[in-house]
Amino acid sequence: MPKNSHKIAIAGAATLGAAALAFSVVPADAQTTTTDAVSSSRVAYSSAPAQDVKASVTDQLAGTSVKVDAIEAKKKAAADAAAKKEAAAAAAKKAAAAAAAKKAAAEKAAAKAAAERKAKAAASRAAQRVAIKKAAVKTYPNNLDGWIRESLDVMKKHGIPGSYQGIHRNIMRESSGNPNAINNWDINAINGVPSKGLLQVIPPTFKAYHVPGTSWNIYDPVANITAACNYAADRYGSMDNVNSAY
């Protein structure tokens, strides 16, 4: 065999061996593709694809972290908004309570002022009534009728009994209605204590039975009548029971 033919045969055998090896590593259920030539070159491996995978995972983790941060920020913003809303509601409630308390205090003060004004007005009216009452002092005519009526009013204040008719009857018998009448002839006159006035009262009796609020003048008609009725009430029960010298 020529030398060149031997080289071609070796090369062909090597090629067939490589092809056989390649065919033997293909799984039984896999499809095969026929190529015109099978390369016996070695497969070269590089670190570049691994670096790309690592970078892709890092990028994914970074994106996830950003999303988590965004969610947390959103939650925090919502919580802050809720807290702010709650604080605003509490402040509004507090302000409303303060306004209500202020209104209640104002109403209480107004009611107190109104009550004070009412009490003051009532006191003023009472004072006016007293003043009017004092101004409207009862007056009596300066005659026998007026003297008896004024005496009866004084007697009523002091609880001394007696009537207009009983007093008038005894006055007419004792002095005929003369307030300056004096008895200078009876036993009292002889003893130095003559009877005087409308109801002919002796000075010691007038002094002992004088009624407060009347004159100390024994000839004063009202004072004389009142003292005599006071004495008659003590001794006879009332001037109405006197029908003769007493």
Side-chain angles (χ1 to χ4, degrees), residues 127-140 157:
Q128 289 176 358
R129 285 195 296 269
V130 171
I132 292 172
K133 186 176 180 180
K134 287 182 178 179
V137 176
K138 189 175 181 179
T139 59
Y140 306 88
K157 290 179 182 178

Side-chain angles (χ1 to χ4, degrees), residues 18-35:
L21 180 63
F23 180 78
S24 66
V25 297
V26 175
D29 58 347
Q31 295 181 354
T32 58
T33 302
T34 305
T35 58

Side-chain angles (χ1 to χ4, degrees), residues 69-209:
D69 291 343
I71 293 171
E72 292 299 325
K74 188 175 182 180
K75 287 182 178 179
K76 186 175 183 303
D80 290 343
K84 187 175 181 181
K85 184 178 181 180
E86 185 177 355
K93 185 177 181 180
K94 185 176 180 181
K102 187 176 181 181
K103 183 180 179 181
E107 290 176 350
K108 185 176 180 181
K112 184 178 179 181
E116 289 177 351
R117 288 194 299 270
K118 186 176 180 180
K120 188 176 181 180
S124 178
R125 288 193 296 270
Q128 289 176 358
R129 285 195 296 269
V130 171
I132 292 172
K133 186 176 180 180
K134 287 182 178 179
V137 176
K138 189 175 181 179
T139 59
Y140 306 88
N142 189 27
N143 54 33
L144 182 58
D145 178 72
W147 301 331
I148 294 174
R149 293 187 184 283
E150 185 174 355
S151 295
L152 285 169
D153 286 343
V154 176
M155 290 162 59
K156 184 177 180 180
K157 290 179 182 178
H158 293 275
I160 301 170
S163 67
Y164 185 97
Q165 292 77 11
I167 294 172
H168 187 272
R169 183 182 70 247
N170 281 284
I171 287 175
M172 296 309 293
R173 187 188 67 252
E174 292 293 336
S175 66
S176 299
N178 179 11
N180 296 314
I182 183 171
N183 187 328
N184 290 315
W185 53 268
D186 65 2
I187 187 63
N188 290 320
I190 294 172
N191 292 331
V193 284
S195 302
K196 300 177 180 180
L198 289 173
L199 284 170
Q200 292 294 284
V201 183
I202 61 175
T205 301
F206 177 80
K207 184 177 181 181
Y209 289 93

